[in-house]
Structures are given as structure tokens and as C-alpha cells.
């Protein structure tokens, strides 16, 4: 767990606010109306529900606090020690223990009073038992006011802690106050730590992040440490000691050889030797800061010997830098990161897990097959890539050099055609570099095509004006022939259009010729296939008889309906014979082509729109009254009687909770 997980803890209310939250929730979420004429069992259940709900509310709130605050013994050793330095581990545990005890006492009080309420014999006694139960719970919570306030202060301080991950790759900066630790952190990371020319400007841990070898690193700036016993160190110094003791990091010990920090070189060397046991199993880099003022070579022999003694220690590297002039700052960062990576690799190789991997690896070594010496060969292209120096005139010209010559980023546009592999180098920058059959298409485009087209159009207009095309009007001998040709082309166009996808959408799945088979062909094919066609033959004969009878009856009806040449129309629309007799069932006649023509169509005897009405006047009046009745509803867009939609799914008076003191006209 990192310190970032401590920032999500919810605020802890005071005891008075705690009671207001719980008791108001009980009043809102439980019934509030009780009468003395209720059954005693209902009265008991009413007040037992109050007590149990209050107990659950206290249990829920206290349980949330106890779960969100971390248990110190379960944290990472660094975080556990840091919380112990900042808040006193014993006081922190005592506060959480008091809340845990209070929750247990509240549960016991609720349990006891619920047992008493089961035997309440009146409304008054049940009410007093409920009142006593809630009062004892409130008294228990009031006694936890100091523990709640302490936990709230701890929560506020935790939310301001930097997000330190104990398992991440870490660079740890330490040393005397005012030696340039915060300045280095501002240089190599995006952090913004306050830098002042006096001691103990940094009073807590600060974290910054940097990228090295495509990996994220965290850099921790610790407060300054003075050279005195551990028992005499204050909370500010103990934060540094805690980080040095528990974080697996690369330690950067800063020294100021110019003594501008206010502490001598001897004191700084003595502090290094005092805290050196904390550097065990950690890569250490001795950073000689403020090299622009004083360097190691400029020191007196005695002081220089003391510093070199530290440098010659096992596992200690040294770098001289200056945060003021940026000299060696990046070297310090690279040296520290590489030292930590090497240390991590060595630690893994010394462990037992690496054996399981090494057992599965095999490095093949080539065996000599002759006496020829084969030395390593580096291709010339690779050598050219390695040899890149801006001052070398013979270096290979790169794309960024061309970009700089052409105006830089935002102005230069790379030419993607220069790498085309074409037969002729001049084809690369053609307007249309399309190649077909090894030839450039642009070579076959006539540049004068538009002018030639205009000349052709002028020539056509001239021929048309001179009457060159008028002889074509005598192509057809008559209008009938011209119409026949036009109909032929229209039919051809229709056939072509029927072949489109849209026209073929509703076509028959089977061809029309599939059904044009005789009975003999069908029986022959079925017999060859080994099937019995007798039932199909019987059915075909029956259908043929029915179809013949139907055609005979149709011919008789058509004969009856044929119009005699002597027939004529009567005065009342009936067909009459010349002798004055009515022709029976005469409805249709035929023209010369045989098409049926309806002479007197049969109309309905009554108008259905007037059904139930005396006459048309009464029907029109009914329509007017209907429209008049619907006018207001249509204007207001109201639903009619047939609309069964329920517009309000949740009526407010049923779902808004209990009524408060005030007006009751809403129901």
C-alpha cells in the first residue's frame, strides 16, 4: 500500500455531529405515529424498531471509520514507521480501540433494551425504555469526542502526505540542511520545492518523478539531518531516518565542500559515518555539490583525505556537480539510476528464483570446424550510422539536417516521392506518377484535348446549319414504320431495365419453363428415378375433368352474355329487345377485340355513411357535433378516452416520504 491510498478516507464528524446524523436518520427512516389504542404487540414492535435502527446506524458509521483507517501493523514498514513518527502509534491505536469498544457497548445496550421492550406492558413504559436506550447510546458516543477529533486531524494530515510508493524505483536524497538537496530535486524532476538560504526549509518529505531508460523513477527529498544521537532528533529529522531505514533505494548523500551551508566538512563526514549503517545493502552516491565555488582538488590535504576516505569505501561512488550552473547534474542522475539497476540485478542473481530461469536457458557456443579465423564484422552501413558528428563535414546527411536547411519544423514538408524506384529518375516528381506496364500514364495524355473538342463541336454545328443531317428525316416510308421502330427500341430498353438488381428483386425463383412439362414426360422421369407415378396420373385426370367442366360452364355463360345485334338500351338503363322484352341478367358487353365492357355497373342499394340516420341532413349534423366535441381536446392535445397511458408513474404523495409539520392540503 502507498500513501496515495490514505487520501480516500472520508471525514470523521465530531460527537455532536455524529449524534445529529444518526438520530435524524432514525426519525426520517422509521414510523413516527403511534396511538395508545393500538395493540400492545404493535406498540412494542414500534419502539423495538426504533432502538434496532439506531443501533444499526451507529454500527454502520463506526464500522466505516474503523475500516477506512489503516492498521499500522499491516502496513509497509516505511509507512508504519512514518505514521509512528508523525502521529504516535500508541495514541493512534488507542483512538481506534476506543471506537471499537464504543461500537461493542452500543450493540450491548441495544440488545439489553430490546429484551426489556419485549415485556413492556404499556405505551408509556415502552416509550421510556426507548428513550433510555437512545440516551445511553448518545452518552457513549459523547465520551468518544476526543478520539473522533484526533482521528479527523490524522486524516487531514494523511491527505497532505506525498504519494510515496515504497516498492517503486527510488532515489533518496539526504544530508545536512542547506546543502542543495531541494535544488537538485527541482532540477531533475518536475517538482517545485521551496528553496531558501536558511536551514530546515524542508520540514517534510517531498517527492518528484523523472524518466530514465523509459522507466518511471521517484526522487524523495528528505529534511536535513544534524549530527546528534537518535534520541535527540525531532520529528523532522526522524522522517529522513525512517526513509533511509526502510526504503530500498539509491542513497544520494550531499556534501557542501564550500561550507556555505554553515557546517564544516569534518561535521558532514562525521554525519556520513554516523548514519552509514542505514546505507547497508543500498547503492550510495556521494554528491559533492556547489562545485562552482569549491572543488575536491581545492581542499586542504587533511579535509581532502577525510572525503577521499569516504569515496574509497566499498560501494560508494562520487560525482561533483553544481545545481547553480547545472554542471554534472545529469551525470548524478544517470550514475544513481544505473547504480540502482545494477544493484537490483545483482540481488536477483543472488536469490533462489533466478535458478529456475537459468536452468531453462542454454547459450550455444559455435565449435570451430577449420583453422580459419573469423573476426567480428560490422557492416559499413552500421558504421555510417554510428558516425554522426555535426562538426564532421563528411558525415552522412540526415533528414533532420535537410529539415533545418529548409526552414525547420512546421515549414519543411518531407518529399515522399524521392524514394520511388522508377525506370527514370525524372518521373518521380511528375504530377500523375501512375505507372502501368512499366510506362508513365501521364505520357499518354494529350495536353490539347480540350481545344480539339471545341474544334469538333464547331464543325458539327456548321454541318447542322448547312443541312447536312436533314436527309435523315426520309429514313422511314411512313409514320407507322417510325412508330414501330420506336416501340421496338422502347421494348428493348424495358427488357434491359428489367435486368437490373431492383427489377430482379421480385422475380420468380424458378424459371417459367419449369412448370411447362407434359404428364407423359413427368411419369417417364419418375419411372426412371424408381418412383410410382400412378397417384399423380389419377390426380391429373381428375383435375382435367374439373377444368373441362369449368371451361364448358364458362362458355355457356359467355354465350348468354353476348349482346344481340338487335338489342338496345331502354329508358331506365335496362337492355331491351326490339320487341320490348327485357333481356335477363344483361350486365356486360364485348367490343370488337373481345374485351368485356361494363355498361351498367351495380351500385350499393343504400349509403352506408347514412346508416342509423334519417336523411343526409341529420348525418351532416351528427358529423358537425362530433367535430365540435373533439375541437377542444385536439387544441389542447389531450388524450382521449381510449388512451390508457399512465403519464405519472410515481405520484408524489406516495413516494415523497412522511409529511412534516405544516399544511396537509397535498393529500
Amino acid at each position: 500500500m502507498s500513501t496515495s491510498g490514505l487520501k480516500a478516507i472520508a471525514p470523521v464528524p465530531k460527537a455532536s455531529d455524529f449524534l445529529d446524523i444518526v438520530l435524524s436518520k432514525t426519525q426520517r427512516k422509521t414510523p413516527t405515529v403511534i396511538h395508545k389504542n393500538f395493540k400492545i404487540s404493535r406498540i412494542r414492535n414500534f419502539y423495538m424498531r426504533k432502538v434496532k435502527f439506531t443501533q444499526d446506524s451507529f454500527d454502520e458509521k463506526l464500522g466505516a471509520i474503523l475500516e477506512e483507517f489503516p492498521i499500522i501493523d499491516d502496513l509497509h514498514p516505511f509507512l508504519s514507521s512514518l505514521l509512528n513518527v508523525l502521529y504516535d502509534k500508541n495514541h493512534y491505536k488507542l483512538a481506534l480501540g476506543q471506537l471499537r469498544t464504543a461500537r461493542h457497548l452500543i450493540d450491548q445496550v441495544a440488545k439489553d433494551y430490546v429484551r426489556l421492550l419485549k415485556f413492556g406492558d404499556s405505551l408509556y413504559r415502552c416509550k421510556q425504555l426507548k428513550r433510555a436506550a437512545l440516551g445511553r447510546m448518545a452518552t457513549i458516543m459523547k465520551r468518544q469526542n476526543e478520539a473522533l477529533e484526533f482521528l479527523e486531524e490524522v486524516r487531514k494530515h494523511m491527505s497532505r502526505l506525498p504519494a510515496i510508493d515504497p516498492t517503486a524505483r527510488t532515489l533518496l536524497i539526504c544530508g545536512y540542511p542547506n546543502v542543495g538537496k531541494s535544488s537538485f530535486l527541482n532540477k531533475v524532476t518536475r517538482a517545485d520545492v521551496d528553496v531558501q538560504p536558511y536551514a530546515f526549509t524542508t520540514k517534510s518529505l517531498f517527492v518528484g518523478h523523472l524518466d530514465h531508460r523509459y522507466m518511471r523513477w521517484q526522487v524523495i527529498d528528505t529534511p536535513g539531518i544534524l549530527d546528534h544521537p537518535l534520541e535527540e532528533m525531532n520529528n523532522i529529522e526522524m522522517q529522513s531516518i525512517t526513509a533511509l531505514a526502510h526504503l530500498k533505494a539509491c542513497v544520494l548523500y550531499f556534501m557542501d565542500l564550500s561550507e556555505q551551508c554553515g557546517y564544516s566538512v569534518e561535521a558532514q563526514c562525521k554525519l556520513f559515518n554516523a548514519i552509514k549503517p542505514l546505507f547497508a545493502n543500498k547503492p550510495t552516491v556521494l554528491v559533492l555539490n556547489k562545485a562552482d565555488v569549491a572543488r575536491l582538488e581545492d581542499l586542504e590535504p587533511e579535509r581532502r583525505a577525510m572525503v577521499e576516505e569516504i569515496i574509497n569505501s566499498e560501494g560508494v561512488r562520487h560525482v561533483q556537480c553544481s545545481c547553480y550552473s547545472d554542471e554534472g547534474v545529469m551525470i548524478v542522475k544517470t550514475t544513481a539510476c544505473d547504480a540502482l539497476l545494477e544493484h537490483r540485478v545483482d540481488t536477483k542473481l543472488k536469490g533462489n528464483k533466478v535458478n529456475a530461469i537459468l536452468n531453462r536457458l542454454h547459450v550455444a557456443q559455435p565449435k570451430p570446424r577449420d583453422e580459419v579465423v573469423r573476426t567480428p564484422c560490422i557492416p559499413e552501413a552500421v558504421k555510417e550510422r554510428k558516425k554522426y558528428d555535426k562538426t564532421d563535414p563528411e558525415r552522412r546527411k540526415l533528414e533532420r539536417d535537410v529539415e533545418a536547411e529548409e526552414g525547420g519544423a512546421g515549414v519543411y514538408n518531407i518529399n515522399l516521392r524521392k524514394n520511388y524506384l522508377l525506370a527514370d529518375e525524372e518521373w518521380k516528381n511528375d504530377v500523375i506518377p501512375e505507372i502501368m506496364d512499366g510506362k508513365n500514364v501521364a505520357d499518354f495524355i494529350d495536353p490539347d484535348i480540350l481545344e480539339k473538342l471545341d474544334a469538333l463541336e464547331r464543325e458539327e454545328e456548321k454541318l447542322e446549319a448547312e443541312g447536312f443531317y436533314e436527309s435523315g428525316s426520309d429514313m422511314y416510308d411512313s409514320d407507322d414504320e417510325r412508330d414501330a421502330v420506336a416501340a421496338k427500341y422502347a421494348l428493348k430498353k424495358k427488357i434491359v431495365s428489367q435486368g437490373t438488381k431492383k427489377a430482379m428483386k421480385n422475380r420468380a425463383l424458378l424459371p417459367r419453363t419449369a412448370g411447362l412439362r407434359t404428364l407423359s414426360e413427368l411419369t417417364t422421369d419418375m419411372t426412371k428415378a424408381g418412383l410410382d407415378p400412378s397417384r399423380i396420373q389419377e390426380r391429373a385426370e381428375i383435375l382435367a375433368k374439373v377444368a373441362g367442366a369449368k371451361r364448358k360452364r364458362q362458355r355457356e355463360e359467355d354465350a348468354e352474355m353476348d349482346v344481340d345485334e338487335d338489342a338496345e338500351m331502354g329508358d331506365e338503363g335496362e337492355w331491351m329487345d326490339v320487341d320490348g322484352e327485357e333481356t335477363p341478367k344483361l350486365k356486360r358487353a364485348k367490343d370488337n377485340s373481345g374485351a368485356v365492357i361494363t355498361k351498367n355497373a351495380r351500385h350499393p342499394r343504400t349509403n352506408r355513411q347514412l346508416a342509423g340516420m334519417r336523411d343526409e341532413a341529420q348525418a351532416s349534423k351528427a358529423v358537425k357535433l362530433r367535430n365540435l366535441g373533439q375541437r377542444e381536446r385536439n387544441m389542447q392535445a389531450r388524450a382521449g378516452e381510449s388512451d390508457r397511458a399512465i403519464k405519472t408513474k410515481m405520484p408524489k404523495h406516495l413516494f415523497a416520504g412522511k409529511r412534516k409539520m405544516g399544511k396537509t392540503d397535498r393529500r
Side-chain angles (χ1 to χ4, degrees):
M1 179 181 180
S2 65
T3 54
S4 59
L6 304 176
K7 301 179 183 296
I9 301 176
V12 180
K14 296 181 181 179
S16 58
D17 298 336
F18 207 104
L19 293 177
D20 291 342
I21 293 171
V22 173
L23 296 180
S24 63
K25 183 179 180 181
T26 303
Q27 182 69 9
R28 286 185 292 106
K29 297 294 185 179
T30 57
T32 55
V33 179
I34 189 73
H35 298 291
K36 60 182 180 180
N37 56 354
F38 284 172
K39 288 184 179 181
I40 190 63
S41 59
R42 181 174 180 182
I43 296 173
R44 290 170 185 164
N45 291 332
F46 177 85
Y47 288 110
M48 286 166 59
R49 182 177 178 183
K50 290 274 188 183
V51 175
K52 288 182 179 178
F53 190 89
T54 307
Q55 173 212 348
D56 293 340
S57 299
F58 276 116
D59 201 14
E60 178 185 356
K61 297 290 291 183
L62 292 174
I65 295 174
L66 294 173
E67 289 179 1
E68 288 183 341
F69 278 90
I71 300 175
I72 289 186
D73 296 337
D74 296 342
L75 293 176
H76 189 275
F78 165 69
L79 297 177
S80 177
S81 301
L82 183 63
L83 294 182
N84 184 26
V85 169
L86 296 175
Y87 317 121
D88 188 2
K89 178 170 62 175
N90 295 329
H91 195 179
Y92 177 79
K93 286 185 175 180
L94 183 62
L96 292 179
Q98 287 180 349
L99 292 185
R100 192 172 288 106
T101 304
R103 182 176 64 171
H104 175 69
L105 291 176
I106 289 174
D107 294 346
Q108 194 64 34
V109 167
K111 184 178 180 181
D112 295 341
Y113 276 90
V114 166
R115 187 182 296 113
L116 292 174
L117 278 168
K118 289 182 179 179
F119 301 99
D121 55 357
S122 65
L123 172 63
Y124 178 76
R125 190 175 299 262
C126 292
K127 183 174 182 180
Q128 293 304 315
L129 288 173
K130 184 268 296 185
R131 184 177 179 183
L134 269 60
R136 288 191 61 182
M137 293 180 191
T139 302
I140 294 173
M141 282 308 304
K142 287 179 181 178
R143 292 175 182 173
Q144 311 305 320
N145 189 34
E146 293 183 359
L148 294 173
E149 290 181 353
F150 171 76
L151 291 177
E152 175 61 14
E153 293 300 324
V154 170
R155 184 199 67 82
K156 290 179 181 178
H157 197 280
M158 283 182 176
S159 63
R160 294 191 293 266
L161 285 177
I164 300 175
D165 186 2
T167 61
R169 307 173 193 88
T170 307
L171 304 182
L172 192 61
I173 306 173
C174 64
Y176 260 95
N178 205 23
V179 295
K181 302 187 295 299
S182 300
S183 300
F184 177 79
L185 180 66
N186 292 339
K187 289 289 183 180
V188 298
T189 67
R190 293 181 288 272
D192 186 14
V193 184
D194 187 21
V195 178
Q196 297 295 338
Y198 51 81
F200 288 106
T201 305
T202 304
K203 297 182 181 180
S204 62
L205 300 177
F206 284 91
V207 180
H209 294 84
L210 59 87
D211 293 329
H212 178 69
R213 292 191 178 182
Y214 304 101
M215 293 182 290
R216 178 56 57 92
W217 300 67
Q218 67 178 0
V219 185
I220 301 178
D221 179 21
T222 62
I225 308 173
L226 299 180
D227 184 19
H228 50 207
L230 192 66
E231 296 79 8
E232 299 178 4
M233 291 185 179
N234 56 18
N235 289 345
I236 298 176
E237 296 174 287
M238 286 302 298
Q239 295 181 46
S240 302
I241 299 299
T242 301
L244 288 171
H246 297 289
L247 289 178
K248 296 180 179 180
C250 179
V251 179
L252 301 177
Y253 184 81
F254 273 68
M255 289 184 63
D256 181 9
L257 300 182
S258 66
E259 299 182 354
Q260 292 181 353
C261 60
Y263 304 96
S264 63
V265 176
E266 293 84 353
Q268 298 179 51
C269 294
K270 189 176 180 181
L271 176 63
F272 181 88
N273 295 325
I275 63 177
K276 187 176 180 181
L278 299 175
F279 302 162
N281 298 324
K282 295 184 182 70
T284 307
V285 178
L286 180 64
V287 182
L288 304 177
N289 198 15
K290 303 182 182 180
D292 57 328
V293 180
R295 306 184 70 87
L296 180 62
E297 297 81 8
D298 302 336
L299 291 180
E300 300 175 359
E302 297 178 357
R303 296 182 176 180
R304 182 175 178 181
M306 297 176 65
V307 177
E308 289 181 348
E309 181 181 357
I310 297 175
I311 295 174
N312 296 330
S313 302
E314 183 180 359
V316 178
R317 310 181 186 187
H318 79 285
V319 180
Q320 299 190 59
C321 72
S322 173
C323 296
Y324 180 76
S325 61
D326 293 345
E327 176 190 352
V329 173
M330 293 297 109
I331 299 176
V332 173
K333 183 193 77 169
T334 306
T335 304
C337 294
D338 293 342
L340 183 59
L341 290 178
E342 293 176 5
H343 176 74
R344 286 195 166 195
V345 172
D346 294 340
T347 305
K348 291 181 180 179
L349 290 176
K350 293 178 182 178
N352 296 327
K353 294 183 179 179
V354 71
N355 295 330
I357 300 176
L358 292 177
N359 292 335
R360 291 180 289 175
L361 298 179
H362 173 68
V363 180
Q365 297 291 340
K367 296 181 179 180
R369 62 179 183 271
D370 49 26
E371 297 180 356
V372 179
V373 179
R374 294 177 174 83
T375 59
C377 178
I378 302 177
E380 294 296 331
V382 177
K383 292 181 179 179
E384 292 181 0
R385 291 179 184 175
K386 289 184 177 180
K387 185 180 67 175
Y388 181 77
D389 186 7
K390 293 184 178 180
T391 60
D392 187 7
E394 298 181 0
R395 73 181 189 279
R396 186 169 60 92
K397 198 170 185 180
L398 301 180
E399 193 67 29
R400 58 183 177 185
D401 299 330
V402 179
E403 180 183 2
E405 294 175 1
E406 297 294 334
V411 179
Y412 171 69
N413 189 12
I414 185 172
N415 184 12
L416 300 177
R417 299 181 180 179
K418 65 182 181 181
N419 296 323
Y420 285 177
L421 300 178
L422 302 178
D424 190 353
E425 292 294 330
E426 296 180 356
W427 294 352
K428 290 184 178 181
N429 296 321
D430 287 352
V431 179
I432 307 177
E434 295 292 339
I435 307 302
M436 181 183 295
D437 299 332
K439 297 181 181 180
N440 196 335
V441 178
D443 296 339
F444 298 91
I445 295 178
D446 189 356
D448 302 331
I449 185 65
L450 296 178
E451 298 179 1
K452 294 180 180 179
L453 180 61
D454 294 339
L456 182 61
E457 290 179 353
R458 288 194 298 270
E459 182 180 359
E460 290 294 326
E461 292 176 357
K462 182 179 178 182
L463 292 175
E464 187 177 357
E466 293 176 356
F468 180 77
Y469 296 111
E470 291 181 358
S471 59
S473 60
D474 300 334
M475 184 180 300
Y476 304 108
D477 296 336
S478 63
D479 294 341
D480 295 338
E481 186 178 357
R482 183 185 294 106
D483 294 342
V485 173
K488 179 180 178 182
Y489 280 108
L491 179 61
K492 184 178 180 181
K493 185 177 180 181
K494 182 178 180 181
I495 294 174
V496 172
S497 64
Q498 287 178 354
T500 60
K501 183 176 181 180
K502 184 177 180 181
M504 300 288 284
K505 180 178 179 181
N506 296 325
R507 68 183 180 85
L509 297 179
L510 293 175
R512 295 182 182 275
T513 57
L516 301 180
R517 302 181 66 188
T518 61
L519 182 61
S520 59
E521 293 177 356
L522 183 60
T523 55
T524 303
D525 294 340
M526 292 183 68
T527 304
K528 290 181 181 179
L531 301 176
D532 184 13
S534 59
R535 293 185 60 187
I536 296 179
Q537 290 177 347
E538 294 176 359
R539 185 178 179 186
E541 293 175 359
I542 294 173
L543 292 176
K545 293 179 180 180
V546 172
K550 187 175 181 180
R551 284 195 298 271
K552 181 178 180 182
R553 186 168 56 254
Q554 186 68 28
R555 285 195 301 269
E556 293 176 355
E557 292 179 356
D558 292 343
E560 293 178 356
M561 293 174 62
D562 286 341
V563 182
D564 191 7
E565 295 180 358
D566 297 335
E568 62 182 10
M569 182 71 72
D571 297 336
E572 297 182 0
E574 298 290 342
W575 286 95
M576 305 294 293
D577 195 0
V578 293
D579 299 333
E581 297 180 357
E582 181 181 356
T583 304
K585 298 182 181 180
L586 191 58
K587 299 295 182 183
R588 294 176 296 179
K590 292 185 179 181
D591 57 3
N592 297 331
S593 62
V596 178
I597 302 175
T598 302
K599 293 297 184 179
N600 55 339
R602 179 176 174 273
H603 297 288
R605 297 180 180 179
T606 59
N607 189 358
R608 296 177 182 176
Q609 296 179 351
L610 304 179
M613 301 295 177
R614 184 173 58 252
D615 51 10
E616 293 185 1
Q618 189 177 15
S620 61
K621 184 177 181 181
V623 171
K624 290 180 180 179
L625 292 176
R626 181 197 63 189
N627 295 338
L628 185 62
Q630 294 179 351
R631 180 182 302 174
E632 184 178 0
R633 186 183 300 118
N634 293 340
M635 292 176 61
Q636 298 183 3
R638 292 181 180 177
E641 295 179 358
S642 61
D643 295 322
R644 295 293 182 262
I646 302 175
K647 302 302 181 182
T648 305
K649 298 294 183 183
M650 294 178 62
K652 185 171 178 56
H653 72 280
L654 293 181
F655 298 94
K658 299 189 301 296
R659 290 176 293 174
K660 302 295 189 298
M661 297 296 292
K663 57 184 181 179
T664 59
D665 57 352
R666 185 161 52 84
R667 294 191 188 181

